Amino acid sequence: MKEISDVISKEYGCKIIDRNLKNSHKKYQVYLAKNSYRKEIKSKIKFLLSHASNWNDFKNKANALGLIVDDKGKYTTYQLSGTSQERKIRDRSLKNQAFMKEAISERLKENEVLYTESEVKELWTENQTIQDKEQETEIELTVHDWQVEKETGDYLYVTIDIGLEREQRESAIKIPARCVDKLENGNYQIFLKKQDRFYFVDSKNPENNKIMLGKTVAKNLQNQSGSVPLYSNNAKIKLKQLFNEFDFLISKGLDFDTSFEAIGKELEQTYYQTESILEKLDKKILEYVEENKAYARPNTRILKTIENLQKERTDLHKTLKQVEKEMLYYDKSVDRYEDYQQEHTKNKSQHSPRL
């Protein structure tokens, strides 16, 4: 009966209501506040994987960062000191095999650079400062009642307008309940981040179903279109933290770790990928321009699409400039290290005893 009712409702343009959302953005924020310690534990373990030399060193440095590691029982447990965390967290409950004791011990054998506890604390604090400064804020949007296809316990299905006038498609984006607050007037407040992932559903052409990033969702909900930015905010945070550690190693007179050699390759790959996307975008703009010429009068929808694609092209050019800037900084950092290494070798030979 419900399926028949849904078909009739859809035929007459009525919104299909399955049941009320079981979760909400407000509830989810409360949940995160209560369970933030799990995320912090994972973050500290991941950081220490690159900054400890063996299991005992890992435990000592974890303690220096306020993370108590207890491996005396059957399971290894973690607990944040000085917090409201009451129950210890078992390693297996972190749901990452890389965080198991055996996997950690094996991973630590790969580390070439030795850090003191004070250096680890200093680096952790600096990395957190970068993280807090660059952390992406949520995009807040209002979705009207008429834009909603249906509401279920877990998702809000929001209809979007995809394609040109002669090829409209019935499409919707599944917004998880944790990203939605239902307002008293029947509308919805949507909260998302650029790098959040959402499921795009094309009911007429299921082969077009795909994952869509938050920035694209936001633009579609605002009757805009565009491609996904390649150079994400998380990537910029990661690179800034790596560069910070690179400078830290040089300032402390420590050896160059092979992990930093991958930065240059990552930047170069990002650069060429962005160039490739720009070429495809230019081609798409030209196709829409030619298509618009087929109409007796300018097609407003096509013109709007071209305008938005040109805006996206401008954004990607900014991305390219940002990557170029980071590549230049990387090259200068490498030059600094090579100068340091030559000077260090020279001083060492001058002070070594002669036979």
Side-chain angles (χ1 to χ4, degrees):
M1 285 296 293
K2 185 184 183 308
E3 290 181 1
I4 296 174
S5 174
D6 288 350
V7 171
I8 295 174
S9 296
K10 194 169 187 178
E11 183 179 344
Y12 285 90
C14 299
K15 185 175 69 172
I16 302 170
I17 298 181
D18 190 349
R19 55 182 179 270
N20 292 331
L21 294 166
K22 292 186 294 186
N23 199 359
S24 71
H25 182 261
K26 288 180 180 178
K27 291 179 182 178
Y28 185 63
Q29 293 305 305
V30 172
Y31 167 81
L32 287 180
K34 290 181 178 179
N35 295 275
S36 60
Y37 55 80
R38 189 178 292 269
K39 181 179 179 181
E40 186 176 344
I41 288 173
K42 289 182 178 181
S43 181
K44 288 183 176 179
I45 292 175
K46 188 175 181 180
F47 174 78
L48 289 169
L49 287 178
S50 301
H51 297 87
S53 55
N54 54 56
W55 178 249
N56 285 330
D57 189 43
F58 174 87
K59 290 199 299 180
N60 292 333
K61 286 173 179 172
N63 187 62
L65 296 183
L67 177 61
I68 302 171
V69 182
D70 185 356
D71 60 348
K72 296 176 183 177
K74 184 178 179 181
Y75 302 102
T76 300
T77 62
Y78 297 94
Q79 188 171 22
L80 294 168
S81 59
T83 68
S84 58
Q85 181 189 347
E86 297 177 358
R87 299 181 63 182
K88 296 179 179 180
I89 298 297
R90 290 182 179 180
D91 52 3
R92 67 177 184 177
S93 72
L94 295 174
K95 303 186 184 304
N96 189 331
Q97 287 299 316
F99 294 163
M100 302 296 286
K101 180 180 178 180
E102 295 76 13
I104 291 175
S105 298
E106 196 62 30
R107 167 62 183 85
L108 298 179
K109 294 177 182 178
E110 302 175 12
N111 294 337
E112 301 173 3
V113 179
L114 299 178
Y115 298 85
T116 65
E117 287 184 18
S118 60
E119 288 169 345
V120 165
K121 287 180 66 176
E122 183 180 344
L123 271 174
W124 170 258
T125 301
E126 290 175 355
N127 281 354
Q128 289 304 108
T129 300
I130 293 171
Q131 180 83 25
D132 294 340
K133 184 178 179 181
E134 299 292 332
Q135 193 62 50
E136 181 184 348
T137 56
E138 288 183 317
I139 301 170
E140 187 174 340
L141 299 167
T142 298
V143 170
H144 296 282
D145 179 69
W146 57 265
Q147 292 178 275
V148 175
E149 178 183 298
K150 64 177 179 179
E151 175 185 333
T152 70
D154 299 318
Y155 294 97
L156 189 72
Y157 289 75
V158 182
T159 55
I160 56 173
D161 193 20
I162 295 293
L164 304 179
E165 284 178 348
R166 65 172 183 271
E167 54 177 36
Q168 291 298 319
R169 303 204 300 268
E170 290 184 39
S171 312
I173 297 175
K174 290 172 64 176
I175 309 292
R178 60 176 172 79
C179 300
V180 181
D181 278 340
K182 191 168 184 177
L183 306 177
E184 291 182 0
N185 61 5
N187 294 333
Y188 302 84
Q189 206 72 9
I190 308 294
F191 302 83
L192 51 85
K193 293 183 179 180
K194 292 180 181 179
Q195 296 305 306
D196 284 345
R197 284 170 165 76
F198 300 90
Y199 197 63
F200 169 83
V201 182
D202 190 335
S203 57
K204 286 189 176 180
N205 302 284
E207 67 275 9
N208 292 328
N209 293 355
K210 61 183 178 180
I211 299 297
M212 188 177 284
L213 292 190
K215 181 178 180 180
T216 310
V217 172
K219 286 190 174 182
N220 275 294
L221 293 179
Q222 295 169 332
N223 293 321
Q224 296 180 359
S225 64
S227 57
V228 178
L230 178 64
Y231 200 57
S232 71
N233 201 59
N234 288 336
K236 283 191 273 189
I237 292 174
K238 178 183 174 184
L239 286 171
K240 283 192 176 185
Q241 290 175 338
L242 285 171
F243 283 133
N244 176 64
E245 188 153 349
F246 185 94
D247 290 336
F248 178 86
L249 289 172
I250 294 177
S251 68
K252 297 294 182 180
L254 297 172
D255 291 331
F256 184 71
D257 190 274
T258 54
S259 63
F260 290 99
E261 295 175 1
I263 302 176
K265 294 180 181 179
E266 183 176 347
L267 287 170
E268 186 177 349
Q269 183 181 18
T270 302
Y271 183 86
Y272 288 125
Q273 285 178 343
T274 308
E275 275 194 324
S276 176
I277 291 177
L278 275 169
E279 290 176 5
K280 292 178 182 178
L281 200 57
D282 287 339
K283 184 178 178 180
K284 187 183 291 186
I285 291 173
L286 288 175
E287 288 175 356
Y288 278 119
V289 169
E290 291 301 315
E291 192 165 359
N292 191 50
K293 292 179 180 178
Y295 289 87
R297 295 181 180 179
N299 185 296
T300 55
R301 186 176 292 279
I302 295 179
L303 291 177
K304 184 65 176 177
T305 301
I306 293 173
E307 179 186 345
N308 290 317
L309 288 175
Q310 287 174 334
K311 288 179 181 178
E312 198 63 39
R313 187 177 185 277
T314 300
D315 290 342
L316 280 172
H317 266 294
K318 290 179 181 178
T319 290
L320 206 62
K321 292 295 182 183
Q322 179 66 34
V323 177
E324 286 178 344
K325 184 179 177 181
E326 299 288 9
M327 289 176 73
L328 181 62
Y329 181 70
Y330 174 80
D331 290 337
K332 287 182 178 180
S333 296
V334 173
D335 290 340
R336 280 182 57 206
Y337 174 73
E338 290 177 349
D339 291 342
Y340 158 76
Q341 196 174 42
Q342 291 176 3
E343 186 67 26
H344 183 69
T345 304
K346 180 180 177 181
N347 292 336
K348 190 175 180 180
S349 62
Q350 288 178 349
H351 292 88
S352 60
R354 302 196 179 199
L355 299 176

